[in-house]
Amino acid sequence: MQTSTMLFSFVQYVRVVVLGVCCATCFSYRASAQTPSGAEKPANQLEMLSLEDLLNVEIVTASRSSKQKTSNAPATVITITDDVIKVRGYQSLFDVIMDLPDFLVQTNSTPEYLHQFTLRGVQGMNNFILLLDGIKISSPTNELLPIMENYPVHLAKQIEIVYGPASALYGADAVTGVINIITKTPEDMNGKVLQATLMGGTHTYLNGSAFLSTRLSKDVSISVGAQYMFDQQPNLSQIEAYKKDFTGIDALKTGSFNTVFGPAKVTNPVKPEYSAPRTANNIYVGAQIDNFRLAFFRNYARVSQATAYTPNNAVYNDDVFMGHTITTMSGSYTKEFDSTFSSTTQFTLSRYDMDPLSNYRNVFTGMEPGYKYAFGSMLKAEQIFGYRPIRELSLTGGATFESFYSIPKGADLEKPVDETGAIQATLLGTRNARNPNGIAADFFTVKFSNIGGFLQGQYNPIEQLSFTLGARYDYNSRFGGAFNPRLGIVWRPSNSTTIKALYGSAFFAPAPYFSFQHFGSFFYDAARNQYGSFFWQLPNPALGPVRTQTAELSLRSFIVENFSVSLTGYFSALSGLVSDVPDRGTVNLYVERDAQGAIVPNGRNLYKGIPVGFIQTTINQGSQQNYGGTFQMDYFQNLGNNGTDRLVAFASVSYVEGNVDALGRGNAADILQIGNIAPLSARAGIDLTIGGFSISPRLIFVGTQRVAARQSEAAPTATDPNARRTLNTRQIMPGYALVNVSARYQITSNIAVFVNVWNATDARYRTINGSAAPEDALRGASGFEFFAGAPQQPIRVFGGLQIDF
């Protein structure tokens, strides 16, 4: 019933979109072609364009070589231009991703990094890499980190989103794709030097950004950008639809929490007011000196650690947070020796720091602050060559050396780590009268290197046909070698149709966090004068990479000059999935052994020599297969005024499905449908510009959501022996429809005002809570530490002013 209602809503919206297109088109021909009274003609107005001009822009990400049209690129690519960023009011990379097909964004769903991203059925933002002008700016050691206003778009000339595996070019972790933010140059500023934006919104939202780009001389230019955001966020406990979820919020006033493990009275005081703010900032400095390019990028994100927890099991205070900083410095030198040969030399230093004040305060820390610490760095040197011996053939190749150093996030600490001295701390809750120093925490130091080399060739025997063949080999000192080939065929049977057949493989390097993460707790038995523990998650240094292979077929055809349709289908196979398993009986790293090193039968599980009831670790186990596709329609209409008045309409429908053999045994009875997806999703919207006014209403439709399947959730029956592969009601959540609207008015060539409305229909909906177990969706939040689906924010209105100088 829920699904049919959602589908009906989607159909109704499509009707509104189509009607809007017709009405807007009619209105535009009657509207004045002049800019508003008293306004100057915007300096950045474009000339008369076609739909193919908008969709077929030049990109560099798909081949790491000279620019090529998206239609010729051996990949499925979407580009978001500066013009689109303005019309749609995008303020961060998160805003952009929300509107991209094939992405499922589970907003406000996890205390670790706020949002969870799933692309083509593969969950995790660390499965795609983020670049700024081709330099990696996501975590150097691939921790899972927030994507919000810490990743800017105000400085972007365009954003290139490449779907599919890209390890053949970029090495580790480019499993599901690459997102490359291309910064503006002085020539892209349309005669201006500085662009500044100030924005405010409901529930105490502040966002300011500025970008300066200027040429100091013929061969020297400099660009500087900065952004700051603070969001107090709505108090969800005051929203009627979510009050049941926040039944225990009064615990903040009493300090007594009725946790899932029993009553807990805090020792460290809590603030009585609900507060779960988030903040982010970023700064960029780039300089071009002849053929040299230098860049500095630093960002920070701070999110609440109570997100997605029920209020009796976490403290909703502003000092309970996780903070992350990434600092990247890079230098490159590019030289074109002649029309056939070019060379680029790059050096990158990247560093990740967890804010030492980061802490959890939840049921797993006894409702007391449990501090965390983590650090990671990468030093990278890369040499890339381009060679075109004949017009029909281009070659790109290169070699890479990377050196990594990491201290992965570990157990809960009693106090913040003092980074000015030796990295040391005491485990939370282990101090007592007989052991006033407590138990020292482990900090694992992980040092490793990677050497890689790649070669790719693109051959165009005729103008309508292109072949791409490439491969990359990496040798990692932690887990050995990885070979990743790539093949692409691009055929244009006519000027209006492009067909692409693609194959690629990739690998996800086991981040130190996944290999060495450890968490749990010790308790002290005073009567026996000894420590004990019920549970610990402990490291497995031998964890290996996850590997994937993907085949893809796509077609784009211009039915008429201003209307195109595209269809993309893919199939991916993943192996070596990372699974949590009992240490005993699998890896046996922490079982009791005798003097000869043999496992003691019926012996204890031990960590630091202390008995632990259950020890869990990670191994590479299992496989997954995903398949799906996207159907998209794009419509474009020039409305006069030399092409500055225009209407762009788009609609896409995406489908993803698959199965997972989490146990890796190959038994049909063990295979389940993949979880953490919404098999059906759709997006639609209009970008309408008339004179100095633009408006962009957009719909995100997400069908029935499926949480992660568990092996024990279903059992075969006499009438349906495949019941294990079918998710029951305990593993699904209702879908939703989210409408966002942006409007902008160019008052003069230098001044514009804009309004963004999030959740314009004020819908009450939930996304998959990344930490919730499947049974939570059936039984509700009561009695569980996590919400049964993350409650979402109500309507929010933001207004802003942009000034160009």
Side-chain angles (χ1 to χ4, degrees):
M1 183 66 181
Q2 180 70 30
T3 302
S4 62
T5 302
M6 299 299 296
L7 286 172
F8 176 77
S9 301
F10 173 67
V11 171
Q12 291 295 98
Y13 185 84
V14 171
R15 290 177 178 174
V16 172
V17 169
V18 174
L19 180 61
V21 170
C22 297
C23 292
T25 304
C26 293
F27 170 78
S28 64
Y29 283 118
R30 297 184 180 183
S32 171
Q34 304 301 316
T35 53
S37 176
E40 301 178 30
K41 190 174 182 178
N44 64 341
Q45 287 187 342
L46 303 177
E47 298 300 320
M48 192 75 73
L49 296 175
S50 66
L51 178 60
E52 186 171 8
D53 293 327
L54 293 176
L55 297 178
N56 198 24
V57 299
E58 290 185 329
I59 63 168
V60 296
T61 311
S63 294
R64 298 197 73 178
S65 58
S66 58
K67 293 181 179 180
Q68 60 183 164
K69 297 287 189 179
T70 55
S71 60
N72 298 326
T76 296
V77 184
I78 291 178
T79 56
I80 304 296
T81 64
D82 175 41
D83 192 45
V84 173
I85 291 171
K86 287 182 179 180
V87 171
R88 298 183 187 174
Y90 292 149
Q91 300 299 313
S92 70
L93 189 59
F94 168 81
D95 294 340
V96 174
I97 294 175
M98 283 288 290
D99 282 341
L100 294 177
D102 290 318
F103 274 89
L104 175 65
V105 183
Q106 297 158 210
T107 48
N108 303 307
S109 65
T110 174
E112 296 279 347
Y113 27 84
L114 190 64
H115 310 306
Q116 181 66 280
F117 297 82
T118 299
L119 176 54
R120 290 183 170 180
V122 180
Q123 188 177 53
M125 58 277 280
N126 53 354
N127 281 299
F128 56 87
I129 59 174
L130 305 179
L131 307 175
L132 184 65
D133 292 322
I135 303 298
K136 183 177 179 179
I137 56 171
S138 44
S139 170
T141 43
N142 216 24
E143 282 82 4
L144 283 159
L145 301 179
I147 296 178
M148 38 195 266
E149 284 82 354
N150 53 331
Y151 289 103
V153 298
H154 66 279
L155 46 63
K157 172 186 178 181
Q158 68 185 39
I159 302 171
E160 301 173 4
I161 302 96
V162 177
Y163 288 77
S167 286
L169 290 177
Y170 292 96
D173 309 325
V175 173
T176 56
V178 177
I179 299 178
N180 191 6
I181 302 171
I182 309 297
T183 59
K184 300 173 188 174
T185 66
E187 289 69 33
D188 300 316
M189 297 290 286
N190 299 304
K192 305 298 191 299
V193 174
L194 175 66
Q195 296 178 337
T197 299
L198 182 62
M199 181 179 181
T202 55
H203 305 288
T204 316
Y205 178 90
L206 299 172
N207 190 344
S209 65
F211 181 69
L212 177 149
S213 186
T214 186
R215 187 164 294 283
L216 304 180
S217 68
K218 177 183 177 182
D219 298 323
V220 179
S221 65
I222 187 170
S223 298
V224 179
Q227 182 177 15
Y228 173 82
M229 183 279 298
F230 174 83
D231 185 5
Q232 185 63 45
Q233 298 200 98
N235 186 341
L236 298 181
S237 69
Q238 296 180 353
I239 297 176
E240 187 64 34
Y242 305 141
K243 283 188 175 180
K244 184 179 178 180
D245 297 89
F246 287 87
T247 301
I249 196 65
D250 287 341
L252 292 176
K253 299 177 181 179
T254 64
S256 296
F257 293 82
N258 186 26
T259 76
V260 293
F261 297 152
K265 181 71 176 180
V266 299
T267 301
N268 290 285
V270 296
K271 301 175 184 178
E273 299 85 13
Y274 171 109
S275 183
R278 61 187 184 96
T279 187
N281 60 70
N282 62 76
I283 184 169
Y284 166 80
V285 179
Q288 185 79 37
I289 307 171
D290 196 12
N291 294 324
F292 289 94
R293 182 176 180 83
L294 303 173
F296 171 88
F297 177 74
R298 182 183 178 93
N299 72 7
Y300 177 77
R302 174 171 167 165
V303 298
S304 170
Q305 287 306 289
T307 301
Y309 273 96
T310 57
N312 258 318
N313 293 285
V315 175
Y316 279 82
N317 278 177
D318 56 9
D319 57 355
V320 183
F321 68 90
M322 192 68 73
H324 309 274
T325 300
I326 296 178
T327 305
T328 305
M329 294 179 286
S330 65
S332 65
Y333 177 75
T334 300
K335 178 67 174 178
E336 294 186 1
F337 294 92
D338 53 39
S339 60
T340 65
F341 187 74
S342 65
S343 168
T344 299
T345 305
Q346 292 182 342
F347 293 94
T348 305
L349 176 62
S350 181
R351 171 172 172 152
Y352 161 68
D353 291 275
M354 178 178 288
D355 189 328
L357 296 179
S358 298
N359 70 100
Y360 292 97
R361 196 165 185 185
N362 55 41
V363 62
F364 301 109
T365 67
M367 306 306 292
E368 303 295 342
Y371 293 91
K372 294 288 187 179
Y373 180 79
F375 168 85
S377 68
M378 175 195 69
L379 176 63
K380 179 179 181 179
E382 188 167 37
Q383 177 63 52
I384 302 174
F385 295 103
Y387 180 51
R388 183 181 289 273
I390 57 176
R391 183 180 63 84
E392 295 83 5
L393 176 65
S394 64
L395 299 173
T396 304
T400 303
F401 173 78
E402 299 164 294
S403 178
F404 300 89
Y405 178 84
S406 174
I407 301 177
K409 184 174 71 173
D412 298 316
L413 309 176
E414 180 186 65
K415 294 180 180 179
V417 168
D418 181 2
E419 293 183 293
T420 61
I423 305 301
Q424 58 187 8
T426 300
L427 290 176
L428 179 66
T430 60
R431 291 184 189 269
N432 56 67
R434 295 184 181 181
N435 184 16
N437 294 324
I439 299 175
D442 286 329
F443 292 95
F444 295 95
T445 299
V446 188
K447 298 180 180 180
F448 59 103
S449 61
N450 187 85
I451 300 174
F454 73 93
L455 180 64
Q456 176 176 279
Q458 288 189 277
Y459 179 58
N460 295 78
I462 57 176
E463 184 178 353
Q464 295 80 13
L465 186 62
S466 171
F467 297 93
T468 299
L469 179 64
R472 177 178 175 122
Y473 180 79
D474 289 270
Y475 181 81
N476 190 289
S477 60
R478 286 179 58 207
F479 55 81
F483 178 74
N484 292 281
R486 181 190 195 192
L487 173 66
I489 302 174
V490 179
W491 178 39
R492 301 194 68 177
S494 69
N495 291 334
S496 61
T497 301
T498 301
I499 300 173
K500 298 182 180 183
L502 310 169
Y503 167 81
S505 67
F507 70 105
F508 173 82
Y513 168 75
F514 288 102
S515 297
F516 291 88
Q517 65 172 327
H518 55 287
F519 51 86
S521 61
F522 290 116
F523 61 84
Y524 179 68
D525 186 339
R528 298 182 179 181
N529 186 28
Q530 66 181 23
Y531 288 97
S533 175
F534 296 111
F535 171 84
W536 272 92
Q537 168 90 32
L538 294 175
N540 177 12
L543 195 67
V546 178
R547 302 179 188 273
T548 180
Q549 299 182 75
T550 299
E552 184 174 336
L553 184 65
S554 69
L555 179 149
R556 177 183 290 277
S557 182
F558 288 84
I559 307 302
V560 292
E561 183 181 8
N562 60 350
F563 178 69
S564 79
V565 296
S566 63
L567 179 64
T568 301
Y570 59 85
F571 175 85
S572 296
L574 295 87
S575 60
L577 301 181
V578 176
S579 301
D580 293 327
V581 296
D583 175 65
R584 179 174 291 276
T586 53
V587 188
N588 293 319
L589 293 175
Y590 305 97
V591 297
E592 187 175 6
R593 297 176 183 269
D594 61 22
Q596 287 72 42
I599 297 174
V600 176
N602 300 318
R604 300 170 297 172
N605 303 313
L606 298 174
Y607 175 48
K608 290 181 171 288
I610 299 172
V612 179
F614 182 80
I615 293 180
Q616 180 174 278
T617 190
T618 53
I619 65 170
N620 295 105
Q621 172 184 270
S623 61
Q624 180 174 319
Q625 294 181 337
N626 296 355
Y627 55 89
T630 294
F631 175 72
Q632 180 157 335
M633 297 179 293
D634 293 280
Y635 174 80
F636 174 81
Q637 180 65 57
N638 281 305
L639 304 178
N641 203 17
N642 293 322
T644 59
D645 293 353
R646 64 184 62 174
L647 183 146
V648 178
F650 64 92
S652 66
V653 178
S654 298
Y655 178 78
V656 60
E657 190 52 273
N659 57 73
V660 57
D661 179 6
L663 301 180
R665 299 186 300 203
N667 297 330
D670 296 330
I671 298 175
L672 300 171
Q673 289 175 300
I674 57 172
N676 289 315
I677 65 168
L680 180 66
S681 63
R683 286 166 172 82
I686 294 173
D687 299 336
L688 174 64
T689 302
I690 299 178
F693 175 75
S694 66
I695 187 169
S696 175
R698 303 179 304 281
L699 167 74
I700 300 170
F701 169 82
V702 174
T704 300
Q705 304 172 82
R706 183 190 301 163
V707 302
R710 285 188 175 179
Q711 188 59 38
S712 59
E713 287 303 315
T717 65
T719 57
D720 185 4
N722 297 317
R724 297 185 81 95
R725 295 184 293 180
T726 303
L727 297 174
N728 55 34
T729 56
R730 291 195 285 180
Q731 295 159 321
I732 61 173
M733 289 174 49
Y736 58 89
L738 175 65
V739 177
N740 300 322
V741 180
S742 301
R744 178 184 177 92
Y745 184 72
Q746 194 75 36
I747 301 174
T748 70
S749 62
N750 296 325
I751 301 175
V753 293
F754 61 91
V755 176
N756 293 339
V757 183
W758 169 274
N759 189 9
T761 61
D762 201 21
R764 300 290 179 261
Y765 66 102
R766 298 172 185 266
T767 62
I768 299 171
N769 181 351
S771 301
E775 58 267 23
D776 296 359
L778 176 67
R779 303 177 187 175
S782 178
F784 290 87
E785 63 268 28
F786 301 108
F787 293 129
Q792 297 299 296
Q793 297 186 4
I795 183 173
R796 300 190 67 181
V797 181
F798 312 93
L801 173 71
Q802 179 176 313
I803 302 177
D804 299 342
F805 300 94

